[in-house]
Structures are given as structure tokens and as C-alpha cells.
């Protein structure tokens, strides 16, 4: 069929034509905004889930909903920045939010105070020891200048929240890939948000990340479980998966045979990104206007090739030889979570020898720990990809460290 009319969007974070099965989450966010706008408190959200389940798409939906409600939106994709870089990035984003809420020519006392607090927060020291500011506003004294990220960010969000409240506005801070925040950065965001809740200010934080985020947030602050809800974003149920597959085609006057739908759901297992990729490939192959079982079967090869070359491969390419062997050993055991000792046994090693490798893979976002002592892939079907990409398990030699006093 016509490639120009192909309604599927297999791109990272791209919003599909039909966002199926997420109504309860968008409704929960709308209620959160409405309650905060009325001066009431409610729990912010941190969404958790595997890769490809649509967390970023939901964040984009939330951003649109917030803007429609006249809230200012601050969007950030977390990365492994040091605290100084994080401070500068947040300062720049929040400064833009303040200027949107209250243009400089119409600053009230509260808006100017928020600007001064932001200046104090965003000040930096150059290599020659001189101080620099991000704009020509004098810094507040005694606010956001403690040298402690959590205390400083708390001052900033309180001042910004007060300015937003005065103008009948709110600020939604949306952070993707939360697991890449350093513990001090996550702790600072949680502590600062906690203070805005106590003051009943119109500021909320919505994060999205891999399944370990709930544990990381709890480790950062014990009250995080009361400050946030942690909705799990998973694959779609059958009805929602059917809608995600069929409805985009119907918008372009195409349809599916029932057998084709059954096979497509079997292949994709209801994962939103996989549905978009298979739908895209099937559309390109089909003569139309009806997509048949044969079309889905023929599209499977292109579907797997595309996933292998992009969605899967980009993650494996960052792994060392030993890390690759660890992932391949996990794939040997199957798609479920596995004990560290079982993976070590496949590699003919002790768990203690491979502990650092396992920790590195978790830090890279390739594995997560659903429970103590177990690890699982963060990417659906990654076990099958590893079996295709690394047909034979190669166990690398472990170089032994020389004993002290024996030389090298």
C-alpha cells in the first residue's frame, strides 16, 4: 500500500495515531492537575515499565494535557550528568517556565523573588574562580545558596510555585529516564516536591523510567511511597492491542483479516512499540486494502530485522565482551528473571566474580532487579535477540589479579 499513508509510527517516543489502553493514566493525571489547581494536594506520578511499553508517549500526552490546562511544562530527559550540570540544566528550564508564567515586564514581587532565587541557584564558578550568572538578575541572599542541591532546589520550587499560584498557573515537571538521575539528584527532586506539597503549591513531578525506579525513590527518601503513585505500564491487553493495530489502518480505509490480527498479537505480545513496527512492515508489504495472514507472516522477517538493527542492537553495542557473555547466559536460561548464581553457573564462574558485571549492566539500563538476588532484561524479547545475535555462548577468560608482592 501507499507508504505515504502508512499510519504506523515505529519511532522512539513518537505518539502513535491511536494511543490505546492508557485512559486510566491520562485521567489520573488530569485529576492531579485539577486538584492542585484548587489548592488541594495529590500524589505525583512515577511510571515504571520495560522499554517499548509507551512511557515516553504517555509523558508527551501529559505534556499536552498540562498545556491545555494552562500549566507550564518543564520537560527533561535525564542523563548521567554531574550535579553541577544538572543544576545548570534545571535552572535554565525553570527560568524559561517562570518567564512564560510571568513575562519580565510584568513581574510582581513574587515573580521577581523567584527570579532572584533562580539566579542564586544557577550561579556557577568558572575555572579562574570568578562567578557567573545566567541572566542579569541579582541573586537572592540566603535562598538557594546553601551549596546543598536538595535545600537549594527546594527554595527554587517553593519560590516558583508561589509565583505560579499568584498567576493562577501551575508547573508540571516531566522527567524521562529517571533511573539515570544520580541518587543526590533524585533525592533533591523528591525533597523539593515534598515541600511544595506541604505548602499546597501548584507544582507536580511526573517521572518515567525502568522498573527499579520505585525502589530507588524509596531509597532516596523514605516518604517517597506516600508522595508518589507508581503505576506500572505494561504490554496491552488483547482488546487494547487490537485497537492499537486495527484503528490506525481504519483511518486510512484499510482493515485486517481476523487471522492476521491473531498472528500479529501473538508476534508482538501486545507491546506498543512492537505493534507499531509490525504494523508498519505489514502495511509496506500488503497490496491492500485488507491486510491478510500472509501479509503478517511475510512482514515478520522485516520486523525482526528492523528490531535487531535498531531497538535491540543499539543496546548490545554498548556492552563489553564479558557483559555480552552475561546477557547471553541469561538468554540461555530464558526470558524470565534469573538468580545471579544461576547465570554464574552457566558461565562457569562464581557469583562474586560476576557481581561487578551484573551491577554494570543494571547501571547501563540493560537489566533490573525485580527482587533481591534476581535480574531480568529491561527490553521485551531481548533473550530471543541475544540468541539470534550471539548464536554460541563464548565464555571469556577472567584475568586474575596478581597477588600482592608477586609482581605482575
Amino acid at each position: 500500500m501507499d507508504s505515504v499513508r502508512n499510519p504506523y509510527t515505529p519511532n522512539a517516543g513518537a505518539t502513535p495515531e491511536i494511543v490505546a489502553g492508557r485512559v486510566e493514566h491520562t485521567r489520573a493525571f488530569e485529576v492531579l492537575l485539577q486538584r492542585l489547581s484548587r489548592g488541594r494536594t495529590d500524589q505525583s506520578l512515577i511510571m515504571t515499565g520495560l522499554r517499548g511499553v509507551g512511557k515516553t508517549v504517555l509523558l508527551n500526552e501529559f505534556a499536552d494535557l498540562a498545556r491545555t490546562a494552562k500549566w507550564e511544562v518543564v520537560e527533561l530527559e535525564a542523563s548521567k550528568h554531574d550535579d553541577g550540570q544538572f543544576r545548570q540544566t534545571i535552572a535554565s528550564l525553570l527560568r524559561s517556565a517562570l518567564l512564560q508564567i510571568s513575562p519580565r515586564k510584568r513581574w510582581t514581587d513574587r515573580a521577581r523573588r523567584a527570579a532572584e532565587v533562580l539566579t542564586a541557584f544557577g550561579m556557577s564558578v568558572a575555572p579562574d574562580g570568578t562567578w557567573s550568572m545566567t541572566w542579569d538578575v541579582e541573586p537572592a541572599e540566603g535562598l538557594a545558596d546553601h551549596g546543598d542541591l536538595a535545600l537549594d532546589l527546594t527554595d527554587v520550587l517553593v519560590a516558583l510555585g508561589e509565583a505560579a499560584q499568584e498567576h493562577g498557573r501551575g508547573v508540571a515537571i516531566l522527567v524521562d529516564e529517571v533511573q539515570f538521575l544520580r541518587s543526590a539528584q533524585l533525592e533533591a527532586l523528591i525533597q523539593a516536591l515534598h515541600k511544595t506539597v506541604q505548602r499546597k503549591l501548584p507544582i507536580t513531578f511526573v517521572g518515567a523510567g525502568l522498573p527499579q525506579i520505585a525502589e530507588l525513590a524509596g531509597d532516596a527518601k523514605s516518604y517517597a511511597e506516600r508522595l508518589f503513585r507508581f503505576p506500572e505500564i505494561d504490554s496491552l491487553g488483547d482488546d487494547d492491542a487490537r485497537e492499537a493495530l486495527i484503528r490506525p489502518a481504519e483511518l486510512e480505509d484499510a482493515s485486517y483479516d481476523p487471522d492476521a490480527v491473531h498472528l500479529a498479537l501473538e508476534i508482538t505480545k501486545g507491546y506498543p512499540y512492537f505493534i507499531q513496527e509490525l504494523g508498519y512492515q505489514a502495511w509496506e508489504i500488503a497490496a491492500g486494502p485488507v491486510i491478510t495472514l500472509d501479509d503478517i507472516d511475510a512482514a515478520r522477517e522485516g520486523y525482526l530485522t528492523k528490531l535487531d538493527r535498531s531497538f535491540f542492537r543499539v543496546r548490545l553495542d554498548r556492552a563489553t565482551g564479558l557483559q555480552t557473555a552475561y546477557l547471553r547466559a541469561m538468554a540461555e536460561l530464558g526470558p524470565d528473571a534469573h538468580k545471579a548464581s544461576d547465570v554464574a553457573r552457566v558461565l562457569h564462574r562464581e557469583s562474586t566474580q560476576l557481581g561487578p558485571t551484573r551491577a554494570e549492566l543494571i547501571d547501563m539500563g540493560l537489566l533490573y532487579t525485580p527482587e533481591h538476588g534476581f535480574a531480568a532484561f529491561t527490553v521485551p524479547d531481548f533473550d530471543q535477540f541475544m540468541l539470534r545475535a550471539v548464536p554460541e555462548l563464548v565464555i571469556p577468560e577472567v584475568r586474575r589479579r596478581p597477588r600482592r608482592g608477586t609482581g605482575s
Side-chain angles (χ1 to χ4, degrees):
M1 289 187 281
D2 185 359
S3 296
V4 174
R5 295 174 54 213
N6 193 327
Y8 299 98
T9 56
N11 298 305
T15 301
E17 292 288 329
I18 300 296
V19 179
R22 306 307 190 203
V23 173
E24 65 177 292
H25 302 299
T26 54
R27 178 56 185 158
F29 182 69
E30 289 177 321
V31 170
L32 170 62
L33 295 185
Q34 290 168 15
R35 286 183 61 82
L36 293 180
S37 294
R38 288 172 172 263
R40 295 192 172 99
T41 63
D42 204 351
Q43 290 173 302
S44 291
L45 307 171
I46 297 183
M47 301 179 292
T48 69
L50 302 181
R51 301 288 185 189
V53 296
K55 300 185 299 297
T56 302
V57 168
L58 264 177
L59 278 183
N60 293 337
E61 290 284 297
F62 291 169
D64 290 341
L65 290 171
R67 293 188 182 102
T68 299
K70 306 302 182 184
W71 279 54
E72 192 57 36
V73 176
V74 173
E75 296 179 276
L76 171 67
E77 181 176 325
S79 57
K80 296 181 180 180
H81 286 157
D82 61 35
D83 291 349
Q85 292 172 308
F86 175 78
R87 181 184 287 260
Q88 290 298 314
T89 299
I90 288 291
S92 177
L93 293 171
L94 295 180
R95 180 185 64 181
S96 296
L98 173 62
L99 290 173
Q100 291 297 316
I101 291 168
S102 179
R104 190 165 183 169
K105 290 182 180 180
R106 299 200 298 270
W107 273 355
T108 61
D109 289 344
R110 283 188 175 180
R112 178 167 293 280
R113 179 173 177 272
E116 292 169 351
V117 174
L118 270 166
T119 298
F121 180 77
M123 289 181 68
S124 60
V125 183
D128 62 1
T130 60
W131 287 85
S132 62
M133 293 184 289
T134 55
W135 56 351
D136 58 340
V137 176
E138 289 298 315
E141 294 185 7
L143 291 170
D145 58 2
H146 310 287
D148 178 281
L149 182 60
L151 293 176
D152 292 348
L153 187 57
T154 297
D155 288 343
V156 169
L157 291 194
V158 167
L160 181 61
E162 289 173 345
Q165 189 176 58
E166 183 181 42
H167 286 77
R169 303 285 300 279
V171 180
I173 302 171
L174 309 182
V175 181
D176 204 0
E177 303 286 7
V178 174
Q179 71 278 353
F180 290 134
L181 291 174
R182 293 189 174 194
S183 58
Q185 296 163 4
L186 181 57
E187 180 180 353
L189 281 167
I190 294 172
Q191 181 173 320
L193 183 66
H194 189 214
K195 183 59 69 175
T196 67
V197 170
Q198 293 173 335
R199 300 283 184 89
K200 295 184 178 182
L201 297 173
I203 289 187
T204 189
F205 169 87
V206 179
L210 296 177
Q212 66 263 37
I213 292 305
E215 181 181 355
L216 293 176
D219 290 343
K221 285 293 181 184
S222 60
Y223 52 73
E225 63 184 24
R226 288 167 286 150
L227 192 62
F228 295 99
R229 290 196 297 272
F230 295 91
E232 295 182 12
I233 312 301
D234 205 346
S235 58
L236 299 173
D238 280 355
D239 290 343
D240 292 327
R242 288 173 187 275
E243 182 184 5
L245 179 69
I246 294 171
R247 285 283 293 128
E250 290 177 344
L251 296 175
E252 294 293 342
D253 299 319
S255 62
Y256 284 81
D257 277 341
D259 289 343
V261 174
H262 180 78
L263 180 58
L265 299 192
E266 181 180 295
I267 292 171
T268 62
K269 302 175 184 176
Y271 285 104
Y273 182 81
F274 291 176
I275 290 172
Q276 294 300 310
E277 188 61 71
L278 184 60
Y280 184 93
Q281 297 296 332
W283 182 277
E284 295 297 300
I285 287 173
V290 178
I291 298 173
T292 67
L293 177 67
D294 289 341
D295 293 329
I296 295 294
D297 193 43
R300 191 196 306 239
E301 181 179 356
Y303 160 81
L304 288 176
T305 298
K306 180 70 180 299
L307 289 179
D308 285 359
R309 289 179 177 175
S310 57
F311 187 69
F312 293 131
R313 173 60 65 178
V314 70
R315 292 169 171 83
L316 182 61
D317 283 348
R318 296 181 290 134
T320 65
L322 185 54
Q323 291 167 351
T324 298
Y326 196 96
L327 295 171
R328 180 58 175 76
M330 284 190 60
E332 190 88 5
L333 295 170
D336 299 325
H338 300 292
K339 290 182 179 179
S341 58
D342 291 339
V343 181
R345 190 176 303 113
V346 174
L347 293 170
H348 307 301
R349 298 287 185 269
E350 296 295 329
S351 295
T352 52
Q353 292 177 291
L354 295 171
T357 301
R358 180 175 179 270
E360 290 162 1
L361 290 167
I362 292 171
D363 187 58
M364 292 166 65
L366 288 169
L367 299 179
Y368 74 101
T369 53
E371 57 182 299
H372 181 70
F374 285 76
F377 294 116
T378 60
V379 182
D381 285 352
F382 200 75
D383 61 309
Q384 294 300 310
F385 164 70
M386 288 302 303
L387 296 176
R388 292 193 298 271
V390 187
E392 293 186 13
L393 174 60
V394 178
I395 302 175
E397 294 184 7
V398 177
R399 296 180 61 183
R400 298 183 180 276
R401 294 181 179 178
R403 294 181 181 178
R404 291 182 178 180
T406 62
S408 55

